[in-house]
Amino acid sequence: MVKHIRTLAILLVLFAVGKSNAQEGKQYIHKGLFCARGALSYGKMFELSANQIYLDGNIEFYLDEKVSLRGSGYWFLSSFNGKTPLKLHHSLFAGPLYHFKTKSSFDPYIGLEPGINLGQASDPCFGDPCLQTLLPYEMEMVATPLISPSIGFNYYGQKWFHLWLSARYIAGRFMDNYNSASLNEFRISFGLGFNIN
Amino acid sequence: MRTVLILFLFIPFAAHSQESGKFEGSGTLQVGLRTTSSLFGDAGYSGFGTGGQFRLRLGKRLNTEWFADYILTDIGGLGRRADGHIGWSVMFYPFSTGEKKITPYFLAGHCFDYTRVTPFNTLVKDNSGQSQQRWSSATQMGLGAHWHITEKFDISFSAQYMIHLGKDLHYHIEEVNGIKELQMAPPHDDATLEGHLLLTASLNIRIADLW
């Protein structure tokens, strides 16, 4: 699964870079451009050693040729290939993106987005084997502040559609009624987006 | 520390800041999102939080900031402290910086705060009834700077010291039978002063010119 995602991501980057080099001209993005995107997202959590799958949706509005505002939501679907430390792990991010000037439809950007996570651990030991609890336990659902630098690109090949890829690092610390753990994670999403000019 | 490093990754923005622009307009309304680190609190643990704000500029040298923060602090892996701040600050610009990329400022203000300290349960002990909470009011003062990326967008960094006046929430770590636990002191109503340093990075967009 991870290999397939990596291969697809590399192909998308190569496709977009190749096309952008071939089409010199005017920068495509402009004030008032509105985009909506949806995709499945892959996440790799570091301290909790989990592979995660999310449903990712975001909307973006361009204030001008350099700055846009993006709001992103990640709905946690499941963990795979290993342990399941978290039963619930949804997150929201919002913030501005800075777009580098190009002379084509290729639109690379960087961003820094504060966010919030709504999480609930699977058990008191985050899915690791641990001592059997002597008491019945109920895991608390908690909100965790996050910060996320991101990098990515859009490629506006058509009037209504574009290709997009977004990668982000997420930093935050989860604390419920039993334990604490780092939520640090790398996430990548890509797919087809819709835009209104 | 990692958060600070992440913030520094944003330095490339500087290279693309525009050379000129009107950054001193009275009546501008901005909205923004912020990330805050809480350092040097009485218990010695650092917290990390997120929040939002809007700014209404009253004059060439005077701005106001209205903010809300939600900060979580890990108390040695044995408990958590949650702080909610809602307040306002007045920002004073000592220099005329209408065409420059960096605008330094002083700020001072007030806020109201809610704090809750919760010891974690252990595998053999339920501590859910041990939480303590308080409301307090605070005053803050500090320095900061706007970093104008475009005419409509800036990143701001600030450092402010905040002093809370409220009921004392006292907790300490104790070792019981070889197991460390967060122990809450019995609650009492004596008022106390408690301070901490807040480092904030905020991302702000100008959405309107009201006058």
Side-chain angles (χ1 to χ4, degrees):
Chain A
M1 179 69 180
V2 179
K3 280 183 183 172
H4 290 303
I5 289 173
R6 279 190 195 139
T7 311
L8 270 171
I10 292 166
L11 283 174
L12 279 173
V13 173
L14 291 175
F15 169 72
V17 171
K19 292 288 279 183
S20 67
N21 287 339
Q23 294 179 0
E24 291 297 320
K26 196 181 162 193
Q27 186 174 19
Y28 183 85
I29 61 170
H30 54 272
K31 179 180 177 179
L33 180 63
F34 178 80
C35 304
R37 310 178 183 100
L40 287 175
S41 174
Y42 164 74
K44 173 71 182 171
M45 299 190 81
F46 300 109
E47 185 181 314
L48 291 175
S49 307
N51 298 297
Q52 314 281 65
I53 290 289
Y54 307 90
L55 188 61
D56 171 14
N58 68 66
I59 53 173
E60 184 175 2
F61 181 75
Y62 286 73
L63 296 173
D64 53 35
E65 291 79 24
K66 288 181 177 175
V67 178
S68 67
L69 288 176
R70 183 173 72 178
S72 307
Y74 291 83
W75 185 267
F76 175 63
L77 295 176
S78 69
S79 300
F80 67 100
N81 287 355
K83 63 178 189 173
T84 306
L86 300 165
K87 190 160 65 178
L88 203 69
H89 187 41
H90 309 311
S91 44
L92 286 172
F93 297 92
L97 304 179
Y98 183 85
H99 298 262
F100 295 97
K101 191 165 178 59
T102 63
K103 291 180 178 175
S104 68
S105 299
F106 183 57
D107 172 31
Y109 63 82
I110 57 172
L112 183 67
E113 297 162 272
I116 194 95
N117 173 268
L118 185 65
Q120 187 178 25
S122 302
D123 56 58
C125 301
F126 292 114
D128 280 329
C130 63
L131 291 172
Q132 182 64 44
T133 57
L134 300 179
L135 301 167
Y137 60 82
E138 188 176 341
M139 305 311 297
E140 194 180 0
M141 192 188 300
V142 289
T144 304
L146 303 171
I147 183 73
S148 174
S150 62
I151 187 168
F153 71 84
N154 303 303
Y155 181 69
Y156 295 91
Q158 299 290 328
K159 188 176 180 184
W160 302 105
F161 304 103
H162 61 275
L163 295 175
W164 64 281
L165 184 146
S166 174
R168 65 166 77 236
Y169 182 80
I170 296 165
R173 189 148 192 93
F174 177 87
M175 285 165 250
D176 64 7
N177 52 338
Y178 274 89
N179 221 331
S180 67
S182 164
L183 289 182
N184 292 3
E185 181 177 359
F186 173 76
R187 282 185 197 169
I188 186 162
S189 314
F190 56 85
L192 185 68
F194 303 93
N195 47 282
I196 299 169
N197 295 286
Chain B
M1 189 59 196
R2 184 169 291 176
T3 306
V4 174
L5 288 175
I6 287 169
L7 295 177
F8 273 94
L9 289 177
F10 234 53
I11 281 174
F13 271 133
H16 296 275
S17 299
Q18 62 181 42
E19 294 302 325
S20 64
K22 289 173 71 176
F23 305 131
E24 293 184 331
S26 175
T28 57
L29 180 67
Q30 288 184 305
V31 294
L33 292 161
R34 51 200 266 150
T35 291
T36 299
S37 287
S38 169
L39 306 170
F40 307 117
D42 285 0
Y45 299 99
S46 55
F48 172 71
T50 193
Q53 65 194 7
F54 68 88
R55 289 181 183 150
L56 180 61
R57 188 147 182 163
L58 300 178
K60 191 176 173 183
R61 298 289 178 94
L62 204 64
N63 207 341
T64 59
E65 183 174 84
W66 307 78
F67 62 88
D69 283 320
Y70 169 63
I71 300 172
L72 278 184
T73 304
D74 187 357
I75 308 171
L78 301 171
R80 71 167 191 265
R81 174 181 173 137
D83 288 282
H85 295 160
I86 183 162
W88 61 92
S89 293
V90 173
M91 304 148 85
F92 175 69
Y93 303 105
F95 313 112
S96 177
T97 56
E99 303 295 322
K100 293 177 183 169
K101 285 186 283 190
I102 305 286
T103 307
Y105 58 86
F106 299 111
L107 83 166
H110 301 101
C111 78
F112 295 105
D113 321 285
Y114 173 76
T115 302
R116 185 181 179 89
V117 179
T118 307
F120 292 155
N121 297 329
T122 69
L123 296 179
V124 294
K125 189 176 174 191
D126 183 1
N127 287 320
S128 53
Q130 304 298 313
S131 295
Q132 287 187 29
Q133 60 194 21
R134 73 154 188 224
W135 286 92
S136 65
S137 62
T139 181
Q140 72 270 2
M141 194 172 174
L143 301 165
H146 306 312
W147 184 355
H148 301 285
I149 309 302
T150 72
E151 245 183 78
K152 285 189 172 172
F153 171 48
D154 74 69
I155 301 178
S156 301
F157 299 96
S158 70
Q160 52 188 319
Y161 196 74
M162 184 177 272
I163 297 179
H164 299 261
L165 174 64
K167 190 176 72 174
D168 186 24
L169 275 185
H170 188 74
Y171 48 90
H172 60 277
I173 293 172
E174 215 171 84
E175 200 163 315
V176 180
N177 298 327
I179 298 172
K180 283 186 177 175
E181 282 184 10
L182 184 68
Q183 299 282 343
M184 302 295 301
H188 55 83
D189 291 330
D190 296 343
T192 185
L193 286 174
E194 182 187 343
H196 57 144
L197 181 70
L198 294 172
L199 298 180
T200 300
S202 65
L203 308 153
N204 305 282
I205 302 285
R206 195 178 82 201
I207 57 167
D209 294 316
L210 297 182
W211 63 82

